[in-house]
Amino acid sequence: MNGYAEIEMSLRDNDGSCRDINFLAPSWDGLAELLTELTQTFAVSSAEDHNGSVIAQVQSEALVGAARAGHVRMLLKSGNSLFKTLQVYSGAGRDGTPFIEMSFFPEDLIPTADLAPIFVQWVESMRTRVHASEYYVRYENASWRLGDIGPRSGVFCSSALPT
């Protein structure tokens, strides 16, 4: 890993794929904290449960309840942070613990100087908020397995890798 220069290049690389942020071992309380923060920072464009039903009352308790029952997909817009648009997917993993993925495209990033260190600071604050032990930021890759940071994994930023 080449540090911030590689992270910056990977964030801005407009290759047609999205970038995914995943968290290792988040908690349900942490998911509630994350959803509260995101719904205060962004406008919720849409929120749907695992049946495709619209979640009208976008409160963290309702969202976490829907995620425990199946999954929730939210589209957030007009953020006051790094993103114009951010997608959040949350649900119960196979072991009953929460799974959280945040996705964005390079064009969703708000242009800013020093993007990489600002992004790393932001994603680290999200890791703390969800009570996760680690985070991974990667190029979209359907075959990726949580925790894989090998050279072909697509991971370009992780709390497990130095910046």
Side-chain angles (χ1 to χ4, degrees), residues 100-137:
I100 303 168
E101 181 171 271
M102 292 191 251
S103 299
F104 61 93
F105 287 91
E107 59 269 20
D108 293 331
L109 290 164
I110 294 173
T112 183
D114 298 323
L115 175 62
I118 292 168
F119 177 83
V120 169
Q121 182 180 10
W122 182 85
V123 75
E124 177 60 28
S125 73
M126 296 298 109
R127 183 202 63 77
T128 300
R129 189 164 316 250
V130 300
H131 308 177
S133 57
E134 296 178 35
Y135 69 82
Y136 305 92
V137 185

Side-chain angles (χ1 to χ4, degrees), residues 24 30 36 45 58 67-68 74 82 89-90 96 112-113 126 134 152:
L24 182 63
T36 297
S45 180
V58 184
R68 281 183 185 239
M74 293 174 47
L82 292 172
Y89 176 86
S90 57
T112 183
M126 296 298 109
E134 296 178 35
R152 297 185 189 267

Side-chain angles (χ1 to χ4, degrees), residues 12-113:
R12 295 185 189 276
D13 182 14
N14 201 349
D15 67 342
S17 70
C18 69
R19 306 300 179 267
D20 295 326
I21 305 168
N22 296 103
F23 300 95
L24 182 63
S27 72
W28 287 108
D29 288 342
L31 175 59
E33 288 178 36
L34 173 73
L35 296 173
T36 297
E37 169 68 19
L38 293 175
T39 55
Q40 291 174 352
T41 306
F42 292 87
V44 179
S45 180
S46 66
E48 298 174 344
D49 68 11
H50 56 283
N51 293 320
S53 300
V54 172
I55 300 172
Q57 297 295 325
V58 184
Q59 299 165 334
S60 64
E61 298 82 17
L63 294 167
V64 170
R68 281 183 185 239
H71 69 263
V72 170
R73 188 186 79 69
M74 293 174 47
L75 180 61
L76 306 169
K77 296 213 177 226
S78 303
N80 295 327
S81 64
L82 292 172
F83 307 95
K84 298 174 198 168
T85 303
L86 182 66
Q87 294 182 59
V88 180
Y89 176 86
S90 57
R94 290 186 184 128
D95 62 356
T97 62
F99 172 81
I100 303 168
E101 181 171 271
M102 292 191 251
S103 299
F104 61 93
F105 287 91
E107 59 269 20
D108 293 331
L109 290 164
I110 294 173
T112 183

